[in-house]
Amino acid sequence: SAHLKTMNLKKPLINILLREAGSSPFALKSSLLKLPGGNGLGDLIALIDQLGEISKGKALLDLLKKNQEEKKIIFTQFLKSMDYVTALLERGGISFTTFCGNMTAREKDEAIGRFKADIPVLVSTESGGEGRNLQFCNTIINFDLPWNPMRIEQRIGRLHRIGQMRDVFIFNLSVRGTIEDYIMEILDSKINMFEM
């Protein structure tokens, strides 16, 4: 973040970069590649290219391997993070379907139908989950956290609504020392969002 300050970037762009960095280095890389060159970003991009598995990915696989018969939804805000997650699941031999905003209504219906019938994991972007009733599932994994608590509440609301007969389990993945980590602390200790 110190390097971003020296680049004289506008605040909205810095916010996007920090949100992407909190989600995954692969989401961050796609934006870094669009910035003007010669700012010393090559070293950072090279570091991202050298990454093997990331700690969030390992934590995600560990979660998915527990209680495998239960359906789980993985939410992420960024398509590059979604690409990473789906590649990770493929390598781990975990069946999944995807749901995102650029799909047609028919493709969305088919994805939800497969998830309900026999696919254990749905990977969804923010726009993908809107307006859908997913009460047949009771486990949410937030691969990243929106900075707006209302967006987090909307994710939970897909599963936790009238008619949900079971407890809803929410797993939040955040990297220590990031803004997401700070948001988690506020949501948990100050607002008690996950208790409610």
Side-chain angles (χ1 to χ4, degrees):
S1 63
H3 186 64
L4 292 178
K5 283 176 188 168
T6 64
M7 290 175 63
N8 245 351
L9 300 175
K10 300 247 184 301
K11 192 174 177 185
L13 177 56
I14 291 175
N15 281 349
I16 289 169
L17 294 172
L18 289 173
R19 282 173 51 220
E20 288 172 335
S23 176
S24 78
F26 315 106
L28 175 64
K29 178 187 168 185
S30 66
S31 285
L32 292 179
L33 288 169
K34 294 172 192 164
L35 294 177
N39 290 309
L41 293 175
D43 292 345
L44 184 54
I45 291 167
L47 279 172
I48 293 171
D49 287 338
Q50 289 164 25
L51 287 173
E53 239 20 289
I54 60 174
S55 56
K56 268 190 178 184
K58 185 178 181 307
L60 178 62
L61 282 181
D62 289 346
L63 273 176
L64 294 175
K65 285 176 179 171
K66 291 173 187 168
N67 204 6
Q68 291 184 42
E69 64 280 0
E70 282 290 349
K71 294 187 183 293
K72 300 171 181 73
I73 297 179
I74 304 166
F75 278 113
T76 181
Q77 302 169 83
F78 301 103
L79 287 173
K80 289 295 180 187
S81 293
M82 179 186 246
D83 291 344
Y84 165 73
V85 167
T86 56
L88 182 74
L89 299 188
E90 281 171 0
R91 290 195 299 277
I94 296 168
S95 294
F96 66 90
T97 187
T98 57
F99 193 105
C100 53
N102 60 8
M103 294 166 68
T104 66
R106 182 176 176 179
E107 287 170 334
K108 289 176 179 178
D109 289 342
E110 286 172 356
I112 296 298
R114 286 195 303 274
F115 179 47
K116 189 171 185 176
D118 58 359
I119 303 284
V121 176
L122 178 74
V123 185
S124 178
T125 61
E126 206 67 63
S127 56
E130 287 167 10
R132 300 278 165 164
N133 185 343
L134 302 169
Q135 291 168 303
F136 56 86
C137 171
N138 74 327
T139 302
I140 295 171
I141 302 171
N142 287 315
F143 188 76
D144 51 36
L145 281 175
W147 293 3
N148 181 346
M150 290 296 294
R151 301 297 291 273
I152 301 170
E153 205 167 41
Q154 285 166 0
R155 289 179 176 186
I156 297 167
R158 301 281 81 78
L159 279 63
H160 192 274
R161 50 174 69 186
I162 294 166
Q164 174 60 269
M165 304 303 290
R166 299 174 295 167
D167 288 338
V168 171
F169 296 95
I170 304 160
F171 297 92
N172 301 297
L173 304 183
S174 65
V175 177
R176 192 175 290 116
T178 61
I179 292 174
E180 280 75 12
D181 191 34
Y182 173 67
I183 290 169
M184 270 296 309
E185 188 184 324
I186 290 173
L187 293 178
D188 199 31
S189 61
K190 305 272 196 312
I191 305 175
N192 290 327
M193 174 178 271
F194 303 112
E195 292 296 319
M196 291 189 291

